[in-house]
Amino acid sequence: MTLGPGIQFVSAHNGSQNPAVDTIPVRGSITWTWTGSLPHSVQSTGSTSFTSSGTKTGSGTYAVTFTAPGTYHYDCAVHGTAMTGTIVVH
């Protein structure tokens, strides 16, 4: 997953964006990569959750390993519904 340089999440897996959608196996990981100069975050939303990142600006990464099956929704705390994504863990 890539954040930026515009206001979007882009899946490295299948190229989907806003919402970016990825399907991974249990114990699989997702890594988000920050680029550009805008501040962004990965904020877990919904009842099935994961640990959210802090807000980051510039280059960097944030990784989460998913240990339980489910559908995980997230957005950017800065940009809200303009930046959303879903991870399906099976």
Side-chain angles (χ1 to χ4, degrees):
M1 306 293 262
T2 301
L3 290 88
I7 299 174
Q8 61 189 358
F9 285 110
V10 180
S11 168
H13 177 84
N14 61 20
S16 62
Q17 65 185 34
N18 287 359
V21 178
D22 280 287
T23 301
I24 63 171
V26 171
R27 293 180 295 284
S29 296
I30 294 284
T31 300
W32 290 268
T33 303
W34 274 257
T35 60
S37 60
L38 295 175
H40 297 295
S41 73
V42 177
Q43 173 179 269
S44 182
T45 62
S47 59
T48 307
S49 64
F50 59 92
T51 302
S52 301
S53 74
T55 300
K56 301 180 181 192
T57 302
S59 298
T61 61
Y62 181 69
V64 174
T65 299
F66 293 84
T67 58
T71 300
Y72 298 82
H73 299 280
Y74 62 91
D75 66 12
C76 173
V78 178
H79 298 103
T81 59
M83 289 184 71
T84 64
T86 301
I87 299 164
V88 179
V89 181
H90 59 92

